Amino acid sequence: MKTDESWIPTEQDLAYIEAAAGDPHPVLAEIEVAAEPDDIPILDRASGRLLGVLATGRRRIAEVGTAIGYSTLCMALAMPDDGTIVTIDPDEGRTATARGFWRRAGIADARIEVVSAPGLEALGAGPGPADPRLDGPFDLAFIDALKHEYLGYVEALVPRLSPGALVVADNVLRSGQVSGAREERRGWQGGNQAIRDFNQTMQADPRFRATILPIGDGLLVAVLAAGAGS
């Protein structure tokens, strides 16, 4: 059935979706509150719910950009009890805070390994060797870190991905700045152009089938073709 092409979701539609989804896990709600005073970047609820859906059934996940653990917890709560995550972030203060939230949510320490290093360095794209905890194979990779390094993260991750693995990247619309719908913030121009390049490259890359979803700040979701990964 064809829908009305002029229809755009309204605030009422979005409120209906939120009401239908119900309250988030209480620890996710705690993280939302904790992130607000210092404007710590975390996923919005809708993106977190989608990430949880995509993580369902996945047993080994790599994440670039932990912050205080919101996206990590969205995935961990959806994974099987033996599922594990390796998450990369150089800010040890934030990841220590994240560990506290994960523990309160009942996630065993052994299920989430934290690599305290910059993303490309941890993945072996810097001057030193890769962290062995990132050897893979992974069946999902979530990227939410330095925007100008997104393509570098993907290239470093591809050999570590299983056939059919998902790559999910946040902030690919950047509040309308990438499309030009909103004026670019001062100092963001380079990052916005890097995201434009990333979006175009991922959707043209024959190793992936990719699309952009207008959820939250924009999520790119790509599936790796058979034979293109590890």
Side-chain angles (χ1 to χ4, degrees):
M1 178 179 176
K2 188 174 181 180
T3 59
D4 182 351
E5 293 180 358
S6 65
W7 174 77
I8 298 174
T10 65
E11 290 298 323
Q12 184 174 344
D13 294 312
L14 298 178
Y16 167 78
I17 292 170
E18 288 300 317
D23 294 333
H25 188 284
V27 177
L28 289 174
E30 278 187 55
I31 300 176
E32 291 174 354
V33 172
E36 191 170 354
D38 295 323
D39 199 25
I40 296 172
I42 63 171
L43 282 177
D44 76 315
R45 284 189 183 181
S47 299
R49 286 195 298 267
L50 177 59
L51 189 59
V53 170
L54 298 176
T56 301
R58 307 281 168 173
R59 295 190 174 277
R60 190 152 163 76
I61 292 175
E63 178 181 48
V64 187
T66 316
I68 57 172
Y70 188 89
S71 52
T72 325
L73 184 56
C74 288
M75 295 185 289
L77 290 169
M79 296 173 74
D81 289 342
D82 60 349
T84 59
I85 298 173
V86 183
T87 185
I88 308 168
D89 199 299
D91 191 325
E92 295 185 46
R94 284 186 174 180
T95 55
T97 299
R99 179 72 73 187
F101 286 125
W102 302 333
R103 287 170 177 164
R104 285 206 292 283
I107 305 298
D109 285 359
R111 289 190 56 203
I112 303 176
E113 293 187 272
V114 177
V115 177
S116 299
L120 291 179
E121 179 182 314
L123 290 163
D131 190 292
R133 291 171 290 182
L134 288 158
D135 285 348
F138 297 102
D139 46 15
L140 189 153
F142 177 60
I143 297 171
D144 188 8
L146 297 176
K147 309 312 167 194
H148 63 279
E149 293 185 350
Y150 271 27
L151 282 172
Y153 300 145
V154 171
E155 288 305 318
L157 284 163
V158 164
R160 299 168 163 88
L161 299 178
S162 302
L166 294 177
V167 174
V168 183
D170 190 30
N171 306 122
V172 299
L173 295 177
R174 302 196 94 190
S175 305
Q177 295 177 71
V178 168
S179 70
R182 290 189 180 179
E183 183 177 351
E184 293 186 289
R185 288 176 58 179
R186 181 176 297 179
W188 283 35
Q189 288 87 347
N192 291 337
Q193 186 56 51
I195 290 296
R196 291 186 192 102
D197 295 341
F198 172 75
N199 291 340
Q200 182 176 354
T201 300
M202 288 296 292
Q203 292 182 99
D205 192 324
R207 297 172 298 178
F208 293 98
R209 185 159 191 170
T211 191
I212 294 172
L213 303 177
I215 296 174
D217 202 27
L219 286 176
L220 183 139
V221 180
V223 61
L224 185 69
S230 61

